[in-house]
Amino acid sequence: MAGIYENAVKVARRTMTLFFLVDTSGSMDGSKIGTLNSAVEEVIPEIYKLSSDNADAAIKIAVLEFSNGARWITPAPMDAADFRWNHLNADGLTDFGEMCKMLNEKLSRKAFMSDVAGSFAPAIFLLSDGEPTDEYQKELGRLKENNWFKKAIKVAVAIGDDANKDVLAEFTGNKEAVITVHTPEALTKMIRFVSVTASQIGSKSSGVGKGGVDQATNKQNDTIEAIKTTVAEDPVGGVEIANTPVSSENQEDWDW
Amino acid sequence: MAEYYPKGYKIPLANGSYAEIIQKLGEGGQGVVYRVAIGGKEYALKWYHKGAVQNPKKFYQNLENNVNKGAPTKAFLWPLYLTQPVDGSFGYIMELRPKNYREFSDFLLAKVHFQSLSSAVNAALNITNGFRELHRNGFSYQDLNDGNFFIDPTNGDVLICDNDNVAPYGESLGIAGKARYMAPEVVRNLKRPDVMTDRFSLAVVLFRLLFLDHPLEGKRVVEAPCLTEELELKYYGKDPIFIYDPTDDSNRPVRGVHSNAIKFWPLYPQFIQNKFITALSKDAMTGKTTRMTDNDWQLAFTRLRDTIITCPCGSETFINVAGDANCVNCGKKIPKPPVLNCHNHKYGLALFPGVKMYRCHIDKDSDDFTQVIGEVERNPKNPAMWGLRNVSDIVWNVETLDGTLKPIAKGQIAPITAIKAIHFPNSIGIIEYSK
């Protein structure tokens, strides 16, 4: 005879959505989009494991690509368990403003943030190699008024030197949250590291014991700290964070 | 991210021998756990990520101190040996976790269930006792949370892990922990973790263990669409409200969301509910009143275990030492069985087939809830007849209803209906029948 605990259900968990915002403009074509596709595909099982072992929150994934216009690849945030990465193709312009607009529409309790058990603020991971080709300022301005966006962990990876880092810093609200990568290896590593770290920090109850009395912690800062520490402790060639020097000296790496 | 040590890699230990890597077992925020071999025997090695420890020198010395002091009880997966500091980091060796133990979070995520009420109550008792002994040995744990326990779902045996944060009273290793388990004063950054804050965390862990939801997460927490860092500070720090606070119903569990609390809380006897209500009262949380001690909890769970019987439906249930009860599974009425009143109502043991009597019941100076002294059995020829068998080396003197004393030695059985009282070396157990 089974005990009464057989009837226990999974504890109520909040949701933390990890957004991938992927630049699929023409300049991403070739090894950039190829590397990105493989790296994201490979990190998904790790995100799934983080979610399935996590008693604080479930992690969901949402993907928005932007080139000529912007498109949600996921009609709604998907459980990491069910999510399969469909390889993206690169072609067209960089409609950054359109991406901001579409993200803003979904960052709402009436749209993507509708879990009954509530949510943690999302983690938003932007990957781009270029410069907006549309008038993005107005839409980015609106997005920055969105409370979900304000509270989100925001990290951007600039792929190569042609990426407009000022725009990315404007998006993340912090120069140090913009990481520049110069090699496929660096892109692969940083996709894994940013996805995992932002998911870990974003999907857990916040850490305590830092800052002053009655001062809330800041998960965005915790994420940036974690990224900086790791890059400092375990140098990855071809990675640059804000003002830190590039750690690769191999000139062949500088093709991007 | 961290690179991993390959199979066969040898890490030197502080004692001069070495640990040979067999495989990676798991990884957390602080480090990686490997299966290793030392002199032909297998152990676990926890290896810290570079930079994961705030003050490595102090941390290392503290681990060294813990290794030397030894584990408070066998429930601890305690550091046995330290490695030498190599490759810019260090680690420690502990026993491997046997496979029958599952992570606490697996219970919360319903990947595994307690097999019975008594396995859940035993787990609560074992966790409480572990922390009592830890505190009695002069340590505080500092970072109690759902990642620290492995539990055997069949019997509630517990292994307490991550003992690297354990430090002597007054020492703080800069361990911060997570808001959901930390005492409000730690969340607010008014205080560093210590024994008093451990007590709060213990109450949260015990609540989650038995009721499989969070004691501070009800209506008002769910109603917040986005749990920001500021709201966490409020809900777990500045203004925590217990979901069953009788003085404030603003944070009650929500149907469809907190299903476990709604299901399991009412099944537990009032005296256990009251312990949580006291431990998680606003005054106890804000530090206006003292917190429940480990000893209070241990006594409460020992008393609770005394009331667990198996209903004819096959499920375990609690009896009510003061009157009738209903089975938690089938709902049928369970009349109050005879109860052995020990040490003037300190314990009340239900004398029902299958129930065990422990050392704490017969020895007024003992709180040993593990050493079995007696057991209630059915007469194989007449199952309606129950007897109490002495399985200890201590001879009991059973006082029968007509007032005569009859010695019951090891292996002998006294029919329960014939017992008025049992005289133990330093105490008397008196049988109370239902009226």
Side-chain angles (χ1 to χ4, degrees):
Chain A
M1 169 71 220
I4 52 159
Y5 279 101
E6 292 291 321
N7 301 322
V9 295
K10 196 189 273 192
V11 72
R13 294 191 295 169
R14 290 181 172 266
T15 297
M16 199 289 299
T17 304
L18 171 64
F19 286 86
F20 288 98
L21 313 178
V22 184
D23 178 348
T24 51
S25 62
S27 58
M28 286 285 290
D29 197 25
S31 76
K32 286 180 188 169
I33 196 71
T35 304
L36 187 150
N37 277 324
S38 306
V40 178
E41 193 171 26
E42 281 163 23
V43 81
I44 298 300
E46 287 190 59
I47 304 293
Y48 166 61
K49 188 156 189 327
L50 278 179
S51 177
S52 72
D53 294 345
N54 187 339
D56 285 1
I59 301 172
K60 291 188 177 177
I61 295 170
V63 183
L64 176 61
E65 66 161 332
F66 57 104
S67 52
N68 291 337
R71 282 158 304 281
W72 284 104
I73 305 294
T74 48
M78 291 177 71
D79 280 325
D82 305 326
F83 180 80
R84 298 285 172 278
W85 180 258
N86 285 318
H87 281 222
L88 301 172
N89 295 315
D91 189 20
L93 302 170
T94 309
D95 287 341
F96 190 85
E98 186 62 19
M99 178 274 287
C100 292
K101 180 173 170 229
M102 290 186 71
L103 178 62
N104 189 21
E105 283 166 6
K106 297 298 183 191
L107 287 178
S108 154
R109 202 172 193 185
K110 294 191 189 103
F112 279 9
M113 305 285 110
S114 60
D115 204 292
V116 284
S119 301
F120 280 119
I124 298 175
F125 186 7
L126 170 64
L127 295 123
S128 177
D129 75 333
E131 176 122 31
T133 48
D134 60 354
E135 289 298 321
Y136 71 93
Q137 286 87 351
K138 196 173 88 185
E139 293 302 341
L140 177 59
R142 281 191 182 151
L143 177 62
K144 292 185 86 144
E145 290 301 305
N146 181 313
N147 283 327
W148 290 95
F149 187 78
K150 281 185 198 165
K151 294 309 304 178
I153 295 172
K154 298 171 285 282
V155 180
V157 163
I159 305 167
D161 278 334
D162 294 339
N164 185 329
K165 290 183 221 170
D166 292 337
V167 174
L168 299 182
E170 213 182 317
F171 182 90
T172 59
N174 187 334
K175 260 190 185 167
E176 295 191 315
V178 180
I179 302 158
T180 310
V181 295
H182 295 281
T183 68
E185 292 72 33
L187 177 60
T188 301
K189 277 202 167 185
M190 291 322 289
I191 284 177
R192 171 163 180 254
F193 188 63
V194 173
S195 309
V196 170
T197 306
S199 298
Q200 267 170 346
I201 293 176
S203 68
K204 287 278 181 187
S205 175
S206 58
V208 297
K210 289 180 211 158
V213 168
D214 286 344
Q215 213 173 61
T217 52
N218 182 309
K219 289 182 175 180
Q220 159 101 340
N221 292 346
D222 290 350
T223 306
I224 295 169
E225 273 312 304
I227 292 170
K228 277 164 70 178
T229 307
T230 299
V231 172
E233 293 281 344
D234 183 18
V236 181
V239 174
E240 192 183 345
I241 300 175
N243 301 321
T244 57
V246 178
S247 45
S248 172
E249 287 170 10
N250 184 350
Q251 280 304 308
E252 281 175 25
D253 289 342
W254 294 82
D255 290 348
W256 285 5
Chain B
M1 296 190 102
E3 301 292 334
Y4 305 119
Y5 287 125
K7 185 176 186 323
Y9 193 87
K10 289 178 180 174
I11 296 190
L13 301 180
N15 64 11
S17 70
Y18 61 85
E20 187 173 330
I21 302 285
I22 299 174
Q23 67 178 133
K24 184 184 141 198
L25 293 174
E27 183 170 7
Q30 253 191 340
V32 186
V33 177
Y34 295 95
R35 180 191 295 273
V36 295
I38 302 171
K41 187 177 179 308
E42 293 193 358
Y43 293 91
L45 162 70
K46 176 162 177 181
W47 186 258
Y48 296 96
H49 292 314
K50 284 179 207 169
V53 174
Q54 276 185 19
N55 184 343
K57 200 172 167 194
K58 189 172 171 188
F59 201 87
Y60 189 88
Q61 282 169 350
N62 183 64
L63 272 174
E64 208 164 28
N65 182 35
N66 291 358
V67 168
N68 293 337
K69 271 196 133 177
T73 74
K74 64 178 174 44
F76 288 83
L77 273 179
W78 198 256
L80 299 173
Y81 315 107
L82 270 170
T83 75
Q84 291 177 24
V86 283
D87 302 338
S89 190
F90 57 93
Y92 69 87
I93 303 290
M94 61 190 149
E95 295 285 352
L96 284 162
R97 161 170 59 106
K99 284 209 163 51
N100 50 321
Y101 288 86
R102 300 289 300 271
E103 284 185 42
F104 185 11
S105 56
D106 284 352
F107 289 78
L108 293 170
L109 295 168
K111 292 180 187 173
V112 60
H113 302 287
F114 284 117
Q115 217 167 69
S116 61
L117 267 188
S118 52
S119 56
V121 173
N122 275 332
L125 196 48
N126 288 323
I127 286 176
T128 303
N129 180 255
F131 285 96
R132 191 183 78 153
E133 295 310 313
L134 183 87
H135 292 153
R136 284 187 173 183
N137 278 276
F139 292 114
S140 69
Y141 192 86
Q142 310 206 1
D143 185 20
L144 251 154
N145 64 62
D146 62 30
N148 306 136
F149 306 101
F150 296 106
I151 305 166
D152 184 337
T154 62
N155 56 20
D157 279 354
V158 166
L159 285 176
I160 301 168
C161 54
D162 287 345
N163 297 296
D164 41 354
N165 297 332
V166 167
Y169 289 176
E171 283 285 316
S172 180
L173 295 171
I175 300 306
K178 295 286 173 195
R180 288 176 104 194
Y181 288 90
M182 279 295 173
E185 64 272 25
V186 179
V187 173
R188 297 182 61 188
N189 226 352
L190 295 167
K191 205 176 155 185
R192 312 304 301 166
D194 63 11
V195 173
M196 286 309 276
T197 69
D198 271 3
R199 282 184 182 167
F200 173 85
S201 305
L202 180 63
V204 173
V205 164
L206 291 170
F207 186 92
R208 300 211 83 191
L209 186 79
L210 299 180
F211 309 116
L212 299 166
D213 267 315
H214 194 288
L216 305 179
E217 291 171 16
K219 183 165 165 272
R220 72 172 187 158
V221 178
V222 169
E223 279 174 355
C226 181
L227 189 63
T228 60
E229 297 90 325
E230 289 77 12
L231 284 176
E232 286 192 83
L233 177 63
K234 179 178 172 193
Y235 295 150
Y236 307 111
K238 293 202 279 197
D239 184 24
I241 300 171
F242 178 40
I243 57 174
Y244 287 110
D245 187 332
T247 68
D248 185 341
D249 66 0
S250 65
N251 197 27
R252 287 284 183 266
V254 176
R255 207 156 284 284
V257 179
H258 306 113
S259 309
N260 289 329
I262 290 170
K263 186 184 315 211
F264 296 115
W265 175 258
L267 301 184
Y268 276 76
Q270 185 76 48
F271 82 94
I272 288 293
Q273 293 180 355
N274 287 344
K275 292 288 172 196
F276 282 102
I277 288 169
T278 307
L280 298 165
S281 70
K282 288 184 185 176
D283 283 350
M285 284 200 279
T286 53
K288 281 193 195 124
T289 54
T290 52
R291 294 201 168 126
M292 284 269 290
T293 63
D294 309 333
N295 221 28
D296 288 339
W297 283 119
Q298 183 168 318
L299 179 60
F301 290 124
T302 309
R303 289 180 58 198
L304 181 62
R305 192 179 60 177
D306 288 351
T307 70
I308 299 176
I309 63 144
T310 305
C311 171
C313 79
S315 167
E316 285 188 340
T317 188
F318 302 112
I319 60 114
N320 180 354
V321 292
D324 296 342
N326 294 92
C327 172
V328 297
N329 180 53
C330 68
K332 283 204 184 116
K333 190 171 127 180
I334 311 239
K336 181 189 161 185
V339 169
L340 186 70
N341 161 13
C342 309
H343 320 318
N344 196 16
H345 293 286
K346 185 176 179 187
Y347 301 104
L349 185 68
L351 294 175
F352 201 90
V355 167
K356 291 185 174 70
M357 187 160 85
Y358 295 87
R359 173 129 206 144
C360 58
H361 294 117
I362 71 152
D363 180 350
K364 70 176 166 49
D365 300 324
S366 170
D367 47 26
D368 182 346
F369 61 87
T370 60
Q371 189 194 349
V372 180
I373 296 293
E375 202 162 344
V376 182
E377 296 177 14
R378 288 181 196 273
N379 182 333
K381 287 185 190 145
N382 178 8
M385 231 180 117
W386 303 345
L388 183 58
R389 184 192 293 274
N390 184 351
V391 299
S392 75
D393 294 327
I394 300 157
V395 177
W396 312 341
N397 282 307
V398 169
E399 186 180 337
T400 59
L401 295 176
D402 61 13
T404 53
L405 284 178
K406 196 172 175 325
I408 298 288
K410 188 172 189 173
Q412 291 185 311
I413 295 183
I416 286 170
T417 49
I419 309 172
K420 185 179 171 195
I422 309 175
H423 298 259
F424 302 110
N426 72 8
S427 72
I428 303 172
I430 298 163
I431 302 243
E432 294 176 350
Y433 293 95
S434 55
K435 286 160 195 131

